[in-house]
Amino acid sequence: MMRPRTVNLLTVIALSIALSSVLLQSPHTSVHAAADQVTFNRQIAPIIYNHCSSCHHPGGAGPFSLLTYADARRWGTVIENVTQSRFMPPWLPAPGYGSFADDRRLPDEDVQLIKKWVTAGMPEGDPADAPKPPVYSTDWVLGPPDLILKVPLPMQVPPSGTDLFQNFILPVPITQTKYVRAMEIKPGAPRVVHHANIIVDRTASLRHQHPNDWQEGIPGMEVMFDSGDTFDPDSHFLFWKPDTPALIEPEGMPWRLDPGNDLVLNMHLKPTGKPETVQATVGLYFTNKPPVAHPMLLQLEDDAALDIPAGDPHFVIEDHLKLPVAVDVLGVYPHAHYLGKKLEGYAILPGGEKKWLILIPNWDIDRQSVYRYKSPIFLPKGSVIYMRYTYDNSAANIHNPNSPPIRVRAGNRSVDEMGHLWLQVLPQPIPNSDEDPRLLLEQAWMENRLSKDPNDETALYNLASVKMSESDFTFATDLYRRILTGSPEDTRTLTALGTALDKDGNWEGAESEYQKALVSDSQYADAHFDLAQLYFKHNSYAAAEQEYRSLLVEDPKDAAAHNGLGAVLLATNRIAEAQNEFQAAISFDPDSFDALYNLASIEASDKNYPQAIGLLQQALKQKNDADAHQLLGSIYIQSGRLGDALQQFKVVQELRPQDPLPHRQLAQLYDQIGQLNDAIRELNAALALEPGNADDWNNLGVLQARAGNTAAARKDFEHALTLDPQHAAARANLARL
Ligand code: HEC
């Protein structure tokens, strides 16, 4: 079951802003700084070092350095102008409409100080007051990364021409799942790279689409990915901008990288006036701790409504989404192209209160950014999130790429428009339920998409995935069939439909869909794999073996296929061969739970207990699985480690609270180690779950008798006999009493 998700690589076209060619320098007069005078050293240097130098330093994104008094003085009047007009530092959100971390906006006092300083003739002041200028190194700011990835081939950016968008593909050479707590990007040519979106391509699909030229990168503002076969929605904004090289994730929220994933760097490149070479390097910093909180990205948009008449100065699109669960909003990423003017995002709470998420009064595509909130914005269940974007397609819009204006519709070229509002939200757990709240959000989001376009295949597919994980296979089947009406040969949907039918108990139907997928693409590995599993489940071992073997011909390192083949061999009593297959699976994927478990069960039946124990311990690091604990417990009993066995069965009991079996096993163990009262308690617990079990009543009677509770024992034996009058042991026990 593969799950496609459209990832809109958000795109930006830079607007070139001419630097004033004539700089008005104030005449140099030596002004002596009085005590109350604003001087560079006392008030201005701290402002510039804190708010400007991060871009304005050699090798930074700004067009010149602002690190010394001489620099500041040379640019003084322009600095005054650009801070008064709020052109610098670059910052789009209006103050008071959401409080953001790394807010670049200069406080009003600082703007006034700069004005005063320039008016006073830009005095330098007392060198004793001078703060140390910041130092920018070209080294990794977070220290040596755990893994460094480099774009395979450099790209030449011509000195002039239009902006370029290039998707650079970085295969990630890891053999085990990693959790990324931080990422740092060195663009290679800071002035050329305007910003970059980083996307995790879970299935390396972009690379597979361009087998021969992927090293050079793929041009385009937007790319589509297949996001893989598990419900794992995109969860992090991986957005790089020049003055923040390091993306550090909040504690407990690293993002996952699996073997076989690629990183795709979608870079916006802007000619600088001279030829430049770009070859980005990415540094990854790992943590051993998997995420404890699972955020999710949501998108509002209405691109279909974008059809802006030439000359229209006020064209509005809107979208809204009602939240089925409470969320904390962590960040926001508004996106439009050149005609976007006013971008509003807000929520209406169930009580009617309006909460602003962001307001950008004067959109500038060149300055787009992800904005993270200083502290998360809580939105209760039932809140409705709105986006309302206003576009200006008149000649008065200085960013308008068309002169005279023309009709503009949605699209991913720079002359087309877009209107997206992305939110990073952390859903709150659903009260009294262990359902993943992300599923409900995903469902609400996809239903919203379908209400705008009932044939939106991605939304149909994703909604079907939600239904699959809720075990509503009939609904899922219906959704897949709707996709197939429009795209009857879509292998991924045919395969997914096969899975849905199989889970719904219709295995002939499933087989036929998988086979249709293979007619459409005979190499489609997922269909081969699912078909193999289907045959295996229905004991068609020869057919299953054939599918697995054909998968291994295609890819001899396919660990899942080795494991599947091993299971077939085991089921048909070819134990030694099965063992080889499981070993092969583990050698290609040391984290394969199934292969570790299967090999352990072979070792256990060969009485190789230490090996079996080692394998199971390894398997349990991957998955806290009741069967594995169960098997481990039984092996401990075989090897006389009763205390360890007890621990394992306790875990099984916690994992399967409705299952009487672990209680029974615990009762037996307690009995063996002489803890009679504990044994009685466990049997009672088993009977609470399955009161009709005559054996348990009989065994409880035996324990009670041994504990000297003759009356209780008699009752238990009688109970066993009412349930099963033929119960010989109970009858004998009662007689003996
Ligand atoms: C995030 C990076 C960044 C920061 C922070 C930043 N600048 Fe800039 N600055 C730029 C870039 C890039 C340009 C070139 C114009 C453009 O692309 O917007 C620029 C241009 C300028 C210009 C030339 C404007 C003109 O019209 O010729 C001045 C002056 C300036 N910045 C001053 C400042 C001051 C003062 C600060 C701090 C208060 C500051 N900048 C902070 C990136 C930055």
Side-chain angles (χ1 to χ4, degrees), residues 17-20 51-52 54-56 61-64 66 75 78-79 82-83 87-90 104 106 243 270 366-367:
I17 292 162
L19 294 182
S20 353
H51 297 277
C52 317
S54 59
C55 292
H56 291 274
F64 50 85
L66 282 175
W75 290 93
V78 194
I79 290 176
V82 296
T83 50
F87 180 69
M88 284 286 143
R104 286 206 200 111
L106 271 191
D243 59 339
K270 199 172 150 162
D366 212 14
R367 299 187 160 194

PDB file of all heavy atoms in Angstrom, residues 17-20 51-52 54-56 61-64 66 75 78-79 82-83 87-90 104 106 243 270 366-367, ligand 1:
ATOM      1  N   ILE A  17      15.902  44.127  -6.131  1.00  0.00           N
ATOM      2  CA  ILE A  17      15.724  45.480  -5.631  1.00  0.00           C
ATOM      3  C   ILE A  17      17.017  46.211  -5.915  1.00  0.00           C
ATOM      4  O   ILE A  17      18.081  45.798  -5.475  1.00  0.00           O
ATOM      5  CB  ILE A  17      15.444  45.462  -4.133  1.00  0.00           C
ATOM      6  CG1 ILE A  17      14.070  44.841  -3.923  1.00  0.00           C
ATOM      7  CG2 ILE A  17      15.512  46.843  -3.533  1.00  0.00           C
ATOM      8  CD1 ILE A  17      13.828  44.376  -2.553  1.00  0.00           C
ATOM      9  N   ALA A  18      16.917  47.235  -6.713  1.00  0.00           N
ATOM     10  CA  ALA A  18      18.127  47.943  -7.104  1.00  0.00           C
ATOM     11  C   ALA A  18      18.728  48.639  -5.893  1.00  0.00           C
ATOM     12  O   ALA A  18      18.030  49.270  -5.122  1.00  0.00           O
ATOM     13  CB  ALA A  18      17.792  48.958  -8.172  1.00  0.00           C
ATOM     14  N   LEU A  19      19.985  48.446  -5.725  1.00  0.00           N
ATOM     15  CA  LEU A  19      20.652  49.190  -4.667  1.00  0.00           C
ATOM     16  C   LEU A  19      20.795  50.631  -5.150  1.00  0.00           C
ATOM     17  O   LEU A  19      21.063  50.865  -6.321  1.00  0.00           O
ATOM     18  CB  LEU A  19      22.036  48.612  -4.409  1.00  0.00           C
ATOM     19  CG  LEU A  19      22.040  47.204  -3.837  1.00  0.00           C
ATOM     20  CD1 LEU A  19      23.470  46.777  -3.590  1.00  0.00           C
ATOM     21  CD2 LEU A  19      21.269  47.174  -2.534  1.00  0.00           C
ATOM     22  N   SER A  20      20.590  51.516  -4.251  1.00  0.00           N
ATOM     23  CA  SER A  20      20.743  52.915  -4.662  1.00  0.00           C
ATOM     24  C   SER A  20      22.159  53.107  -5.200  1.00  0.00           C
ATOM     25  O   SER A  20      23.118  52.741  -4.536  1.00  0.00           O
ATOM     26  CB  SER A  20      20.527  53.857  -3.491  1.00  0.00           C
ATOM     27  OG  SER A  20      20.082  53.136  -2.385  1.00  0.00           O
ATOM     28  N   HIS A  51      20.977  42.875  14.762  1.00  0.00           N
ATOM     29  CA  HIS A  51      19.870  42.807  13.794  1.00  0.00           C
ATOM     30  C   HIS A  51      20.305  42.823  12.337  1.00  0.00           C
ATOM     31  O   HIS A  51      19.478  42.585  11.470  1.00  0.00           O
ATOM     32  CB  HIS A  51      18.907  43.977  14.025  1.00  0.00           C
ATOM     33  CG  HIS A  51      18.245  43.953  15.365  1.00  0.00           C
ATOM     34  ND1 HIS A  51      17.133  43.211  15.629  1.00  0.00           N
ATOM     35  CD2 HIS A  51      18.577  44.566  16.526  1.00  0.00           C
ATOM     36  CE1 HIS A  51      16.771  43.376  16.889  1.00  0.00           C
ATOM     37  NE2 HIS A  51      17.638  44.202  17.469  1.00  0.00           N
ATOM     38  N   CYS A  52      21.541  43.174  12.058  1.00  0.00           N
ATOM     39  CA  CYS A  52      21.920  43.378  10.659  1.00  0.00           C
ATOM     40  C   CYS A  52      23.094  42.496  10.222  1.00  0.00           C
ATOM     41  O   CYS A  52      23.104  41.979   9.108  1.00  0.00           O
ATOM     42  CB  CYS A  52      22.302  44.837  10.408  1.00  0.00           C
ATOM     43  SG  CYS A  52      21.184  46.015  11.190  1.00  0.00           S
ATOM     44  N   SER A  54      24.104  39.578  10.786  1.00  0.00           N
ATOM     45  CA  SER A  54      23.931  38.168  10.443  1.00  0.00           C
ATOM     46  C   SER A  54      23.831  37.979   8.929  1.00  0.00           C
ATOM     47  O   SER A  54      24.194  36.927   8.411  1.00  0.00           O
ATOM     48  CB  SER A  54      22.696  37.591  11.140  1.00  0.00           C
ATOM     49  OG  SER A  54      21.552  38.327  10.757  1.00  0.00           O
ATOM     50  N   CYS A  55      23.334  38.989   8.225  1.00  0.00           N
ATOM     51  CA  CYS A  55      23.355  38.927   6.756  1.00  0.00           C
ATOM     52  C   CYS A  55      24.464  39.808   6.192  1.00  0.00           C
ATOM     53  O   CYS A  55      25.068  39.473   5.165  1.00  0.00           O
ATOM     54  CB  CYS A  55      22.031  39.401   6.173  1.00  0.00           C
ATOM     55  SG  CYS A  55      20.671  38.276   6.520  1.00  0.00           S
ATOM     56  N   HIS A  56      24.675  40.943   6.850  1.00  0.00           N
ATOM     57  CA  HIS A  56      25.653  41.892   6.316  1.00  0.00           C
ATOM     58  C   HIS A  56      27.037  41.615   6.880  1.00  0.00           C
ATOM     59  O   HIS A  56      27.511  42.287   7.792  1.00  0.00           O
ATOM     60  CB  HIS A  56      25.208  43.329   6.627  1.00  0.00           C
ATOM     61  CG  HIS A  56      23.994  43.749   5.852  1.00  0.00           C
ATOM     62  ND1 HIS A  56      24.053  44.275   4.579  1.00  0.00           N
ATOM     63  CD2 HIS A  56      22.674  43.683   6.150  1.00  0.00           C
ATOM     64  CE1 HIS A  56      22.829  44.547   4.135  1.00  0.00           C
ATOM     65  NE2 HIS A  56      21.966  44.184   5.078  1.00  0.00           N
ATOM     66  N   ALA A  61      24.440  36.935   3.269  1.00  0.00           N
ATOM     67  CA  ALA A  61      23.445  37.129   2.216  1.00  0.00           C
ATOM     68  C   ALA A  61      23.293  38.593   1.818  1.00  0.00           C
ATOM     69  O   ALA A  61      22.807  38.892   0.729  1.00  0.00           O
ATOM     70  CB  ALA A  61      22.099  36.595   2.700  1.00  0.00           C
ATOM     71  N   GLY A  62      23.669  39.511   2.664  1.00  0.00           N
ATOM     72  CA  GLY A  62      23.526  40.935   2.372  1.00  0.00           C
ATOM     73  C   GLY A  62      24.560  41.404   1.357  1.00  0.00           C
ATOM     74  O   GLY A  62      25.614  40.794   1.213  1.00  0.00           O
ATOM     75  N   PRO A  63      24.255  42.495   0.653  1.00  0.00           N
ATOM     76  CA  PRO A  63      25.148  42.941  -0.422  1.00  0.00           C
ATOM     77  C   PRO A  63      26.413  43.638   0.079  1.00  0.00           C
ATOM     78  O   PRO A  63      27.299  43.931  -0.729  1.00  0.00           O
ATOM     79  CB  PRO A  63      24.277  43.897  -1.236  1.00  0.00           C
ATOM     80  CG  PRO A  63      23.200  44.348  -0.305  1.00  0.00           C
ATOM     81  CD  PRO A  63      23.000  43.264   0.698  1.00  0.00           C
ATOM     82  N   PHE A  64      26.504  43.957   1.335  1.00  0.00           N
ATOM     83  CA  PHE A  64      27.730  44.582   1.853  1.00  0.00           C
ATOM     84  C   PHE A  64      27.821  44.277   3.344  1.00  0.00           C
ATOM     85  O   PHE A  64      26.858  43.797   3.948  1.00  0.00           O
ATOM     86  CB  PHE A  64      27.726  46.106   1.625  1.00  0.00           C
ATOM     87  CG  PHE A  64      26.450  46.756   2.093  1.00  0.00           C
ATOM     88  CD1 PHE A  64      26.302  47.122   3.432  1.00  0.00           C
ATOM     89  CD2 PHE A  64      25.382  46.973   1.217  1.00  0.00           C
ATOM     90  CE1 PHE A  64      25.123  47.689   3.874  1.00  0.00           C
ATOM     91  CE2 PHE A  64      24.195  47.537   1.667  1.00  0.00           C
ATOM     92  CZ  PHE A  64      24.062  47.902   2.993  1.00  0.00           C
ATOM     93  N   LEU A  66      28.308  45.070   7.382  1.00  0.00           N
ATOM     94  CA  LEU A  66      28.048  46.066   8.419  1.00  0.00           C
ATOM     95  C   LEU A  66      28.666  45.527   9.700  1.00  0.00           C
ATOM     96  O   LEU A  66      27.983  44.962  10.548  1.00  0.00           O
ATOM     97  CB  LEU A  66      26.545  46.296   8.599  1.00  0.00           C
ATOM     98  CG  LEU A  66      25.840  47.168   7.562  1.00  0.00           C
ATOM     99  CD1 LEU A  66      24.337  47.210   7.814  1.00  0.00           C
ATOM    100  CD2 LEU A  66      26.406  48.582   7.555  1.00  0.00           C
ATOM    101  N   TRP A  75      27.194  53.755   4.984  1.00  0.00           N
ATOM    102  CA  TRP A  75      25.812  53.465   4.604  1.00  0.00           C
ATOM    103  C   TRP A  75      24.783  54.222   5.448  1.00  0.00           C
ATOM    104  O   TRP A  75      23.576  53.996   5.312  1.00  0.00           O
ATOM    105  CB  TRP A  75      25.556  51.967   4.731  1.00  0.00           C
ATOM    106  CG  TRP A  75      26.283  51.197   3.681  1.00  0.00           C
ATOM    107  CD1 TRP A  75      27.510  50.644   3.770  1.00  0.00           C
ATOM    108  CD2 TRP A  75      25.834  50.951   2.355  1.00  0.00           C
ATOM    109  NE1 TRP A  75      27.873  50.052   2.594  1.00  0.00           N
ATOM    110  CE2 TRP A  75      26.846  50.227   1.697  1.00  0.00           C
ATOM    111  CE3 TRP A  75      24.661  51.276   1.645  1.00  0.00           C
ATOM    112  CZ2 TRP A  75      26.730  49.817   0.370  1.00  0.00           C
ATOM    113  CZ3 TRP A  75      24.545  50.865   0.339  1.00  0.00           C
ATOM    114  CH2 TRP A  75      25.583  50.145  -0.290  1.00  0.00           C
ATOM    115  N   VAL A  78      21.422  55.735   4.177  1.00  0.00           N
ATOM    116  CA  VAL A  78      20.581  54.680   3.593  1.00  0.00           C
ATOM    117  C   VAL A  78      20.024  53.805   4.720  1.00  0.00           C
ATOM    118  O   VAL A  78      18.862  53.400   4.705  1.00  0.00           O
ATOM    119  CB  VAL A  78      21.371  53.817   2.574  1.00  0.00           C
ATOM    120  CG1 VAL A  78      20.418  52.985   1.748  1.00  0.00           C
ATOM    121  CG2 VAL A  78      22.235  54.682   1.693  1.00  0.00           C
ATOM    122  N   ILE A  79      20.868  53.556   5.707  1.00  0.00           N
ATOM    123  CA  ILE A  79      20.403  52.760   6.855  1.00  0.00           C
ATOM    124  C   ILE A  79      19.237  53.468   7.532  1.00  0.00           C
ATOM    125  O   ILE A  79      18.229  52.842   7.881  1.00  0.00           O
ATOM    126  CB  ILE A  79      21.563  52.525   7.848  1.00  0.00           C
ATOM    127  CG1 ILE A  79      22.586  51.571   7.242  1.00  0.00           C
ATOM    128  CG2 ILE A  79      21.035  51.978   9.176  1.00  0.00           C
ATOM    129  CD1 ILE A  79      23.817  51.339   8.097  1.00  0.00           C
ATOM    130  N   VAL A  82      16.167  52.949   5.242  1.00  0.00           N
ATOM    131  CA  VAL A  82      15.593  51.598   5.159  1.00  0.00           C
ATOM    132  C   VAL A  82      15.052  51.119   6.501  1.00  0.00           C
ATOM    133  O   VAL A  82      14.174  50.259   6.543  1.00  0.00           O
ATOM    134  CB  VAL A  82      16.582  50.555   4.573  1.00  0.00           C
ATOM    135  CG1 VAL A  82      16.925  50.882   3.136  1.00  0.00           C
ATOM    136  CG2 VAL A  82      17.818  50.412   5.440  1.00  0.00           C
ATOM    137  N   THR A  83      15.557  51.696   7.604  1.00  0.00           N
ATOM    138  CA  THR A  83      14.972  51.299   8.883  1.00  0.00           C
ATOM    139  C   THR A  83      13.684  52.082   9.139  1.00  0.00           C
ATOM    140  O   THR A  83      12.718  51.535   9.679  1.00  0.00           O
ATOM    141  CB  THR A  83      15.970  51.468  10.050  1.00  0.00           C
ATOM    142  OG1 THR A  83      16.534  52.771  10.004  1.00  0.00           O
ATOM    143  CG2 THR A  83      17.078  50.438   9.986  1.00  0.00           C
ATOM    144  N   PHE A  87      12.078  48.618   5.462  1.00  0.00           N
ATOM    145  CA  PHE A  87      12.554  47.735   4.395  1.00  0.00           C
ATOM    146  C   PHE A  87      13.610  46.774   4.950  1.00  0.00           C
ATOM    147  O   PHE A  87      13.768  45.654   4.492  1.00  0.00           O
ATOM    148  CB  PHE A  87      13.131  48.589   3.256  1.00  0.00           C
ATOM    149  CG  PHE A  87      13.650  47.805   2.094  1.00  0.00           C
ATOM    150  CD1 PHE A  87      12.777  47.119   1.267  1.00  0.00           C
ATOM    151  CD2 PHE A  87      15.021  47.759   1.824  1.00  0.00           C
ATOM    152  CE1 PHE A  87      13.271  46.383   0.192  1.00  0.00           C
ATOM    153  CE2 PHE A  87      15.506  47.026   0.751  1.00  0.00           C
ATOM    154  CZ  PHE A  87      14.631  46.344  -0.066  1.00  0.00           C
ATOM    155  N   MET A  88      14.345  47.255   5.958  1.00  0.00           N
ATOM    156  CA  MET A  88      15.342  46.434   6.636  1.00  0.00           C
ATOM    157  C   MET A  88      15.091  46.504   8.139  1.00  0.00           C
ATOM    158  O   MET A  88      14.689  47.562   8.620  1.00  0.00           O
ATOM    159  CB  MET A  88      16.775  46.943   6.343  1.00  0.00           C
ATOM    160  CG  MET A  88      17.295  46.584   4.973  1.00  0.00           C
ATOM    161  SD  MET A  88      17.730  44.824   4.904  1.00  0.00           S
ATOM    162  CE  MET A  88      17.224  44.436   3.230  1.00  0.00           C
ATOM    163  N   PRO A  89      15.378  45.465   8.901  1.00  0.00           N
ATOM    164  CA  PRO A  89      15.691  44.110   8.426  1.00  0.00           C
ATOM    165  C   PRO A  89      14.466  43.515   7.746  1.00  0.00           C
ATOM    166  O   PRO A  89      13.345  43.917   8.059  1.00  0.00           O
ATOM    167  CB  PRO A  89      16.007  43.342   9.717  1.00  0.00           C
ATOM    168  CG  PRO A  89      15.936  44.305  10.846  1.00  0.00           C
ATOM    169  CD  PRO A  89      15.322  45.540  10.366  1.00  0.00           C
ATOM    170  N   PRO A  90      14.691  42.564   6.816  1.00  0.00           N
ATOM    171  CA  PRO A  90      13.552  41.994   6.092  1.00  0.00           C
ATOM    172  C   PRO A  90      12.602  41.281   7.070  1.00  0.00           C
ATOM    173  O   PRO A  90      13.032  40.381   7.784  1.00  0.00           O
ATOM    174  CB  PRO A  90      14.199  40.969   5.156  1.00  0.00           C
ATOM    175  CG  PRO A  90      15.656  41.298   5.144  1.00  0.00           C
ATOM    176  CD  PRO A  90      15.970  41.951   6.436  1.00  0.00           C
ATOM    177  N   ARG A 104      12.412  39.574  13.444  1.00  0.00           N
ATOM    178  CA  ARG A 104      13.514  40.436  13.022  1.00  0.00           C
ATOM    179  C   ARG A 104      13.175  41.920  13.124  1.00  0.00           C
ATOM    180  O   ARG A 104      14.026  42.777  12.937  1.00  0.00           O
ATOM    181  CB  ARG A 104      13.869  40.154  11.566  1.00  0.00           C
ATOM    182  CG  ARG A 104      14.607  38.892  11.318  1.00  0.00           C
ATOM    183  CD  ARG A 104      15.413  39.088  10.029  1.00  0.00           C
ATOM    184  NE  ARG A 104      15.797  37.832   9.423  1.00  0.00           N
ATOM    185  CZ  ARG A 104      15.294  37.390   8.281  1.00  0.00           C
ATOM    186  NH1 ARG A 104      14.368  38.081   7.642  1.00  0.00           N
ATOM    187  NH2 ARG A 104      15.722  36.268   7.771  1.00  0.00           N
ATOM    188  N   LEU A 106      12.760  45.570  13.965  1.00  0.00           N
ATOM    189  CA  LEU A 106      13.483  46.442  14.905  1.00  0.00           C
ATOM    190  C   LEU A 106      12.482  47.118  15.827  1.00  0.00           C
ATOM    191  O   LEU A 106      11.477  47.651  15.362  1.00  0.00           O
ATOM    192  CB  LEU A 106      14.205  47.548  14.142  1.00  0.00           C
ATOM    193  CG  LEU A 106      15.628  47.331  13.638  1.00  0.00           C
ATOM    194  CD1 LEU A 106      16.195  48.664  13.166  1.00  0.00           C
ATOM    195  CD2 LEU A 106      16.507  46.737  14.715  1.00  0.00           C
ATOM    196  N   ASP A 243      20.184  33.771   6.956  1.00  0.00           N
ATOM    197  CA  ASP A 243      20.740  34.169   8.241  1.00  0.00           C
ATOM    198  C   ASP A 243      20.488  33.156   9.347  1.00  0.00           C
ATOM    199  O   ASP A 243      20.820  33.405  10.492  1.00  0.00           O
ATOM    200  CB  ASP A 243      20.233  35.563   8.653  1.00  0.00           C
ATOM    201  CG  ASP A 243      18.719  35.602   8.762  1.00  0.00           C
ATOM    202  OD1 ASP A 243      18.056  34.737   8.166  1.00  0.00           O
ATOM    203  OD2 ASP A 243      18.200  36.497   9.451  1.00  0.00           O
ATOM    204  N   LYS A 270      19.382  33.009  -7.435  1.00  0.00           N
ATOM    205  CA  LYS A 270      19.179  34.328  -8.010  1.00  0.00           C
ATOM    206  C   LYS A 270      20.500  34.857  -8.545  1.00  0.00           C
ATOM    207  O   LYS A 270      21.456  34.993  -7.776  1.00  0.00           O
ATOM    208  CB  LYS A 270      18.676  35.219  -6.888  1.00  0.00           C
ATOM    209  CG  LYS A 270      18.003  36.457  -7.330  1.00  0.00           C
ATOM    210  CD  LYS A 270      17.393  37.125  -6.120  1.00  0.00           C
ATOM    211  CE  LYS A 270      17.381  38.609  -6.343  1.00  0.00           C
ATOM    212  NZ  LYS A 270      16.472  39.303  -5.461  1.00  0.00           N
ATOM    213  N   ASP A 366       9.869  37.580  -2.322  1.00  0.00           N
ATOM    214  CA  ASP A 366      11.297  37.478  -2.146  1.00  0.00           C
ATOM    215  C   ASP A 366      11.690  37.309  -0.683  1.00  0.00           C
ATOM    216  O   ASP A 366      12.812  36.949  -0.376  1.00  0.00           O
ATOM    217  CB  ASP A 366      11.912  38.769  -2.678  1.00  0.00           C
ATOM    218  CG  ASP A 366      13.281  38.515  -3.248  1.00  0.00           C
ATOM    219  OD1 ASP A 366      13.610  37.338  -3.455  1.00  0.00           O
ATOM    220  OD2 ASP A 366      14.000  39.494  -3.475  1.00  0.00           O
ATOM    221  N   ARG A 367      10.775  37.601   0.190  1.00  0.00           N
ATOM    222  CA  ARG A 367      11.112  37.582   1.613  1.00  0.00           C
ATOM    223  C   ARG A 367      10.322  36.534   2.360  1.00  0.00           C
ATOM    224  O   ARG A 367      10.140  36.631   3.572  1.00  0.00           O
ATOM    225  CB  ARG A 367      10.819  38.954   2.200  1.00  0.00           C
ATOM    226  CG  ARG A 367      11.655  39.994   1.530  1.00  0.00           C
ATOM    227  CD  ARG A 367      11.543  41.313   2.167  1.00  0.00           C
ATOM    228  NE  ARG A 367      12.704  42.082   1.761  1.00  0.00           N
ATOM    229  CZ  ARG A 367      13.086  43.198   2.333  1.00  0.00           C
ATOM    230  NH1 ARG A 367      12.374  43.695   3.317  1.00  0.00           N
ATOM    231  NH2 ARG A 367      14.161  43.817   1.914  1.00  0.00           N
TER     232      ARG A 367
HETATM  233  C1  HEC B   1      18.043  38.398   6.523  1.00  0.00           C
HETATM  234  C2  HEC B   1      19.171  39.090   5.984  1.00  0.00           C
HETATM  235  C3  HEC B   1      19.297  40.581   6.228  1.00  0.00           C
HETATM  236  C4  HEC B   1      19.241  41.244   7.424  1.00  0.00           C
HETATM  237  C5  HEC B   1      19.022  40.650   8.809  1.00  0.00           C
HETATM  238  C6  HEC B   1      19.450  42.629   7.110  1.00  0.00           C
HETATM  239  N1  HEC B   1      19.634  42.804   5.769  1.00  0.00           N
HETATM  240 FE1  HEC B   1      19.967  44.531   4.826  1.00  0.00          FE
HETATM  241  N2  HEC B   1      19.925  43.600   3.041  1.00  0.00           N
HETATM  242  C7  HEC B   1      19.770  42.247   2.873  1.00  0.00           C
HETATM  243  C8  HEC B   1      19.689  41.961   1.456  1.00  0.00           C
HETATM  244  C9  HEC B   1      19.554  40.566   0.853  1.00  0.00           C
HETATM  245  C10 HEC B   1      19.764  43.192   0.785  1.00  0.00           C
HETATM  246  C11 HEC B   1      19.670  43.435  -0.714  1.00  0.00           C
HETATM  247  C12 HEC B   1      18.283  43.864  -1.048  1.00  0.00           C
HETATM  248  C13 HEC B   1      17.312  42.718  -0.918  1.00  0.00           C
HETATM  249  O1  HEC B   1      17.513  41.663  -1.546  1.00  0.00           O
HETATM  250  O2  HEC B   1      16.330  42.864  -0.155  1.00  0.00           O
HETATM  251  C14 HEC B   1      19.913  44.184   1.830  1.00  0.00           C
HETATM  252  C15 HEC B   1      20.047  45.551   1.555  1.00  0.00           C
HETATM  253  C16 HEC B   1      20.300  46.490   2.524  1.00  0.00           C
HETATM  254  C17 HEC B   1      20.557  47.871   2.258  1.00  0.00           C
HETATM  255  C18 HEC B   1      20.589  48.506   0.915  1.00  0.00           C
HETATM  256  C19 HEC B   1      19.183  48.970   0.594  1.00  0.00           C
HETATM  257  C20 HEC B   1      19.103  49.826  -0.647  1.00  0.00           C
HETATM  258  O3  HEC B   1      17.984  50.261  -0.894  1.00  0.00           O
HETATM  259  O4  HEC B   1      20.091  49.987  -1.317  1.00  0.00           O
HETATM  260  C21 HEC B   1      20.770  48.478   3.443  1.00  0.00           C
HETATM  261  C22 HEC B   1      21.121  49.903   3.704  1.00  0.00           C
HETATM  262  C23 HEC B   1      20.602  47.463   4.465  1.00  0.00           C
HETATM  263  N3  HEC B   1      20.330  46.276   3.873  1.00  0.00           N
HETATM  264  C24 HEC B   1      20.698  47.702   5.803  1.00  0.00           C
HETATM  265  C25 HEC B   1      20.348  46.791   6.770  1.00  0.00           C
HETATM  266  C26 HEC B   1      20.263  47.104   8.169  1.00  0.00           C
HETATM  267  C27 HEC B   1      20.532  48.462   8.779  1.00  0.00           C
HETATM  268  C28 HEC B   1      19.889  45.978   8.793  1.00  0.00           C
HETATM  269  C29 HEC B   1      19.619  45.790  10.274  1.00  0.00           C
HETATM  270  C30 HEC B   1      18.816  46.784  10.915  1.00  0.00           C
HETATM  271  C31 HEC B   1      19.776  44.944   7.795  1.00  0.00           C
HETATM  272  N4  HEC B   1      20.053  45.481   6.575  1.00  0.00           N
HETATM  273  C32 HEC B   1      19.449  43.614   8.062  1.00  0.00           C
HETATM  274  C33 HEC B   1      19.713  41.292   3.850  1.00  0.00           C
HETATM  275  C34 HEC B   1      19.552  41.563   5.193  1.00  0.00           C
END
